[in-house]
Amino acid sequence: MFISVRRLAAISALTFLALTPADGAGAQTSGKLVVFAAASLATALNAIQPIFVKEKGQATVISYGSSGVLAKQIEQGAPADVFISADTKWVDYLQKKNLLAPHTRRNLLGNDLVLVEPADGKTKLDIKPGFDLAKLTGDGKIAVCTVASCPAGIYAKEAFTKLGVWSAVEPKLAQANNVRDALALVARGEAKYGVVYGTDAKAEPKVRVVAIFPADSHSPIVYPVVVVASSKNANAAVFEAFLTSQAATKILTDQGFEFLLKKGE
């Protein structure tokens, strides 16, 4: 197997411990603001969080993971106050179930989808219809996050399908729990290539971008932010608004995100 059963079990256990609703429940009852955010936002939000806490005086906990996993946890009653997804699908899913506060949804950020390899790689490749990534991969693996539910994995499958190479690359995929786990497989040299966001590649010095997927090869990458309907924390809306502050905007744009929302919108 590409990834040992023991390693997968360890990763799954750590992910469960990090995202379990019980942890969030304890945080919320102690007055903390609980934010559920796509894993690709970790670098930027980890820099924004202490600024928000200092300026607003609101203790804040951020749980990262695949947007699909986080949405399902919210559906099951996890006490999140704010949800930031890496696609619109999972926000639509929660909205149809009336689990989101009305009129709080904002399309905040955009991103690129990129092909990466370890930093010492020298691959030269144009991503275009019929490009032979499967041949280049050889006996190696292509790291992606889960193509059935993780946004970056969904975008990757869309791109591979549109470009006519899905059937060739599918057997070579190593599917991880979230996009940062997929990135880590490439950074450690356990996958020859990976499909992640441009912002993930920028955050990890052990990988290099081989090429950017054409924007028309996949659905637009949009990060909505929304307040969860069950939230009782008045600072949920304050945190959402803070993401368009000058300090937060600089951090997000420096990380490589495209701002879709202007301050005050």
Side-chain angles (χ1 to χ4, degrees):
M1 294 181 64
F2 178 62
I3 303 175
S4 70
V5 172
R6 180 175 295 179
R7 180 176 292 178
L8 281 173
I11 292 172
S12 297
L14 288 171
T15 301
F16 177 81
L17 289 172
L19 301 177
T20 175
D23 292 340
Q28 192 179 59
T29 54
S30 66
K32 294 181 180 179
L33 182 73
V34 180
V35 178
F36 277 15
S40 52
L41 286 161
T43 303
L45 289 186
N46 283 346
I48 291 170
Q49 180 183 11
I51 301 172
F52 174 76
V53 171
K54 182 178 180 180
E55 290 192 10
K56 305 300 180 182
Q58 169 66 71
T60 305
V61 173
I62 304 178
S63 288
Y64 301 103
S66 167
S67 300
V69 171
L70 298 176
K72 285 290 187 179
Q73 290 191 346
I74 290 171
E75 181 184 19
Q76 293 164 10
D81 296 299
V82 177
F83 178 43
I84 314 175
S85 174
D87 71 355
T88 58
K89 170 187 172 182
W90 287 109
V91 175
D92 291 342
Y93 176 85
L94 294 176
Q95 195 161 1
K96 289 175 181 177
K97 294 178 178 293
N98 297 317
L99 295 174
L100 303 178
H103 313 302
T104 63
R105 178 175 178 171
R106 303 288 185 272
N107 287 338
L108 183 68
L109 303 168
N111 213 332
D112 293 318
L113 192 70
V114 301
L115 182 72
V116 296
E117 66 179 352
D120 59 357
K122 300 184 185 303
T123 301
K124 295 182 179 180
L125 178 67
D126 290 328
I127 297 180
K128 58 186 180 180
F131 76 115
D132 203 351
L133 182 60
K135 182 178 179 180
L136 284 172
T137 304
D139 294 330
K141 291 291 183 180
I142 303 167
V144 296
C145 64
T146 309
V147 299
S149 60
C150 176
I154 294 171
Y155 296 132
K157 182 177 180 180
E158 287 179 352
F160 286 140
T161 301
K162 180 73 177 289
L163 295 165
V165 300
W166 171 250
S167 60
V169 301
E170 184 182 12
K172 299 181 180 292
L173 299 182
Q175 298 188 47
N177 290 325
N178 60 65
V179 71
R180 285 300 175 95
D181 285 349
L183 180 71
L185 290 176
V186 182
R188 294 196 299 264
E190 296 179 25
K192 186 166 184 179
Y193 298 109
V195 182
V196 299
Y197 299 119
T199 53
D200 296 311
K202 188 169 184 176
E204 176 50 79
K206 293 182 180 179
V207 306
R208 67 177 290 268
V209 174
V210 175
I212 301 173
F213 282 86
D216 62 0
S217 69
H218 55 80
S219 301
I221 299 173
V222 177
Y223 287 69
V225 57
V226 65
V227 175
V228 179
S230 61
S231 174
K232 305 299 182 185
N233 194 321
N235 280 324
V238 175
F239 181 83
E240 182 181 24
F242 189 78
L243 294 175
T244 61
S245 67
Q246 183 175 357
T249 298
K250 185 178 187 310
I251 290 168
L252 289 161
T253 54
D254 284 352
Q255 186 61 38
F257 288 99
E258 175 191 1
F259 245 86
L260 303 179
L261 185 67
K262 296 179 181 179
K263 184 174 181 180
E265 288 186 343

